[in-house]
């Protein structure tokens, strides 16, 4: 009797394991997102990017710009209200002989080595004319410098594993959460939940925001703000040295791409809310018992421009901090309340700045009317400022290169 029971149990377990193995093969083959598309059209929304379908071959007359970065590139705002859509619309009007398309390959919770991986992947899969990488100086340096994000994190790992389509809130059948160890149980549970609770997340967001929008608890918000100020502390320069090496590696990769493929490249430096608004910096410093006067909100920008100029002087840099600080000085709010990302107005300002920068840098023109309608666009620092005396930045650069020779 005992022997028969053991055989039955063993048979049941064997069948479950066999079914699990076959199901995993099926999942990997037919359900998992593919980053090696073979057809002429790639559905970026299906891969949980904040974009739509894109033809691998560039349409005639289109100037296509591939955009990379973290959640500030991904944006919590949908196209055409994201800075990608704003910039493309302005360039379309300015240069009527061609159309412009900014393709959003932003990946939340990533940093320099994911940007490099994404550039390497997508520039070999789709036609393009140019590449812009959005470097979020709030945490990119710290995330690499403190090993918060692994260098080898797979392409778009965070978004493609999300059970929710971040554009629509629809539950994704090809991204069922891992909960029970066995995938057949995971799928069974997910489908039961979808049957009783519906195919969409129980959450509403205002237009034109995505489901990536979400208010943070106060402690989490200030924890993020604290991290966003680390690169502005001269005392942290040596500690974050590897993060600055990551920026140098990115700049070198873009420089090589431009030389090898004959395409345009650029880096956009995006500031955090704590770098833009003195009140946020002061409140964060008080909460963590820091001396706010020892935090320099523009130090990351000064250092970033120096690092790029040192290793890849031909890669142009757009620095958004002075533009956003100019807007803040007149009372504008460019960030969502209790949320670290740009709101619609912030996306509009970033898109206007990017369009004007690309027009001047790549297209040998300008964007008529924008400096008059948005005077803060003229707040861009000039390249000669790199050669102005800056003892703090120079000391930081020395501390960085002592650990990681950037050249």
């Amino acid at each position: 009797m005992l022997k028969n029971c053991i055989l039955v149990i063993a048979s049941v377990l064997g069948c479950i394991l066999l079914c699990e193995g076959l199901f995993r093969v099926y999942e990997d083959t037919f359900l998992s997102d593919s980053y090696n598309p073979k057809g002429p059209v790639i559905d970026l929304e299906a891969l949980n990017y904040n974009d739509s379908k894109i033809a691998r071959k560039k349409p005639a007359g289109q100037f296509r710009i591939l955009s990379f970065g973290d959640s500030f590139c991904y944006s919590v705002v949908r196209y055409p209200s994201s800075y990608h859509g704003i910039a493309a619309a302005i360039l379309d009007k300015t240069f009527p002989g061609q159309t412009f398309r900014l393709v959003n390959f932003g990946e939340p919770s990533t940093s320099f080595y994911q940007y490099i991986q994404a550039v390497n992947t997508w520039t070999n899969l789709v036609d393009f004319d140019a590449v812009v990488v959005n470097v979020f100086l709030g945490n990119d340096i710290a995330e690499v410098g403190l090993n918060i994000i692994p260098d080898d994190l797979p392409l778009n790992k965070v978004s493609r594993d999300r059970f929710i389509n971040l554009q629509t809130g629809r539950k994704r059948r090809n991204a069922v959460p891992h909960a029970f160890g066995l995938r057949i149980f995971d799928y069974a549970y997910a489908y039961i939940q979808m049957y009783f609770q519906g195919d969409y997340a129980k959450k509403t967001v205002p237009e034109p925001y995505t489901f990536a929008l979400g208010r943070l608890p106060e402690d989490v918000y200030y924890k993020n703000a604290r991290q966003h100020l680390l690169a502005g502390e001269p005392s942290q320069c040596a500690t974050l040295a590897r993060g600055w090496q990551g920026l140098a590696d990115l700049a070198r990769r873009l420089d090589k791409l431009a030389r090898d493929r004959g395409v345009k490249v650029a880096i956009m430096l995006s500031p955090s809310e704590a770098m833009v608004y003195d009140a946020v910096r002061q409140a964060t410093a008080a909460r963590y018992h820091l001396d706010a006067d020892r935090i320099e909100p523009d130090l990351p920008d000064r250092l970033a421009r120096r690092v790029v100029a040192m290793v890849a002087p031909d890669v142009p840099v757009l620095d958004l901090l002075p533009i956003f600080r100019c807007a803040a000085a007149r009372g504008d709010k460019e960030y969502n309340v209790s949320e670290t990302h740009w709101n619609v107005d912030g996306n509009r300002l970033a898109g206007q700045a990017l369009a004007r920068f690309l027009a001047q840098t790549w297209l040998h023109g300008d964007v008529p009317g924008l400096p008059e309608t948005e005077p803060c666009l003229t707040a861009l620092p000039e390249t000669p400022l790199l050669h102005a005396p800056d003892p703090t930045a120079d000391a930081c650069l020395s501390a960085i290169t002592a650990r990681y020779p950037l050249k």
Side-chain angles (χ1 to χ4, degrees):
M1 182 66 178
L2 178 60
K3 182 176 180 181
N4 290 337
C5 289
I6 294 174
L7 287 174
V8 169
I9 293 172
S11 299
V12 171
L13 290 175
C15 288
I16 291 175
L17 293 176
L18 177 61
C19 291
E20 174 72 8
L22 293 173
F23 185 82
R24 286 181 182 248
V25 171
Y26 173 78
E27 180 185 26
D28 291 340
T29 305
F30 297 104
L31 300 179
S32 297
D33 296 331
S34 173
Y35 288 85
N36 296 292
K38 297 179 174 59
V41 176
I42 301 172
D43 188 347
L44 295 178
E45 182 182 333
L47 301 175
N48 223 9
Y49 288 102
N50 187 12
D51 209 300
S52 55
K53 293 180 180 178
I54 180 175
R56 294 182 64 172
K57 298 296 182 183
K58 185 166 61 75
Q62 183 184 86
F63 190 93
R64 180 183 284 176
I65 304 166
L66 308 186
S67 178
F68 300 94
D70 67 357
S71 57
F72 264 73
C73 175
Y74 177 92
S75 181
V76 296
V77 176
R78 284 196 297 271
Y79 201 98
S81 298
S82 66
Y83 74 81
H84 309 84
I86 298 296
I90 292 171
L91 293 173
D92 280 345
K93 293 179 181 178
T94 306
F95 302 95
Q98 55 188 332
T99 60
F100 291 82
R101 174 74 159 90
L102 274 76
V103 185
N104 186 353
F105 287 113
E107 303 178 19
S109 302
T110 56
S111 193
F112 297 119
Y113 294 107
Q114 288 74 49
Y115 305 164
I116 294 171
Q117 179 187 183
V119 167
N120 291 342
T121 299
W122 290 109
T123 56
N124 288 308
L125 289 175
V126 299
D127 288 347
F128 68 103
D129 299 287
V131 167
V132 174
V133 179
N134 184 343
V135 172
F136 178 53
L137 287 176
N139 60 17
D140 277 354
I141 304 300
E143 285 174 338
V144 174
L146 301 178
N147 298 310
I148 295 172
I149 293 181
D151 292 353
D152 58 353
L153 189 72
L155 189 69
N156 203 30
K157 172 68 173 175
V158 174
S159 287
R160 74 175 180 180
D161 283 353
R162 291 286 293 269
F163 190 35
I164 302 299
N165 180 313
L166 292 175
Q167 287 193 60
T168 66
R170 187 180 182 88
K171 296 172 183 176
R172 303 174 68 233
R173 287 176 168 80
N174 55 348
V176 167
H178 293 258
F180 297 103
L182 294 177
R183 293 303 280 159
I184 51 176
F185 292 169
D186 291 336
Y187 273 79
Y189 178 75
Y191 275 66
I192 291 171
Q193 292 290 94
M194 291 164 70
Y195 177 80
F196 286 106
Q197 297 182 8
D199 285 339
Y200 287 85
K202 292 182 177 180
K203 176 183 175 181
T204 58
V205 292
E207 290 291 339
Y209 288 95
T210 72
F211 278 74
L213 177 71
R215 292 173 65 94
L216 298 174
E218 184 178 281
D219 60 330
V220 177
Y221 171 81
Y222 278 106
K223 181 180 179 181
N224 287 342
R226 173 68 188 100
Q227 186 188 84
H228 293 171
L229 288 173
L230 279 174
E233 298 179 55
S235 62
Q236 298 291 332
C237 289
T239 303
L240 302 181
R242 189 169 178 275
W244 292 107
Q245 183 195 42
L247 174 60
D249 289 343
L250 171 66
R252 277 190 287 260
R253 178 65 188 97
L254 293 179
D255 186 59
K256 186 176 188 305
L257 180 69
R259 295 177 186 278
D260 292 350
R261 305 278 287 270
V263 297
K264 308 289 188 184
V265 298
I267 290 174
M268 181 168 81
L269 303 177
S270 297
S272 70
E273 188 176 13
M275 296 164 64
V276 172
Y277 298 100
D278 286 334
V280 176
R281 176 170 58 93
Q282 295 282 353
T284 304
R287 190 180 184 94
Y288 286 91
H289 308 291
L290 305 171
D291 184 351
D293 292 336
R294 294 190 178 184
I295 302 172
E296 300 184 28
D298 61 346
L299 178 59
D301 300 68
R302 285 146 46 203
L303 272 175
R305 289 167 63 83
R306 279 168 164 74
V307 168
V308 175
M310 177 186 294
V311 302
D314 293 332
V315 174
V317 176
L318 167 62
D319 184 357
L320 292 180
L321 179 61
I323 298 173
F324 273 74
R325 286 185 69 84
C326 171
R330 68 188 181 201
D332 291 2
K333 299 297 183 184
E334 312 292 351
Y335 294 76
N336 290 300
V337 177
S338 299
E339 209 268 0
T340 59
H341 300 97
W342 293 326
N343 58 22
V344 171
D345 292 336
N347 272 271
R348 183 184 302 112
L349 183 60
Q352 291 173 337
L354 180 59
R356 185 166 187 254
F357 176 79
L358 298 184
Q360 293 177 334
T361 306
W362 292 347
L363 304 169
H364 310 294
D366 204 344
V367 178
L370 272 186
E372 290 74 29
T373 59
E374 181 43 83
C376 284
L377 296 183
T378 60
L380 287 172
E382 299 296 332
T383 300
L385 288 179
L386 288 171
H387 307 294
D390 190 339
T392 302
D394 291 340
C396 278
L397 201 55
S398 295
I400 294 164
T401 54
R403 294 197 175 191
Y404 295 100
L406 299 180
K407 283 193 174 182

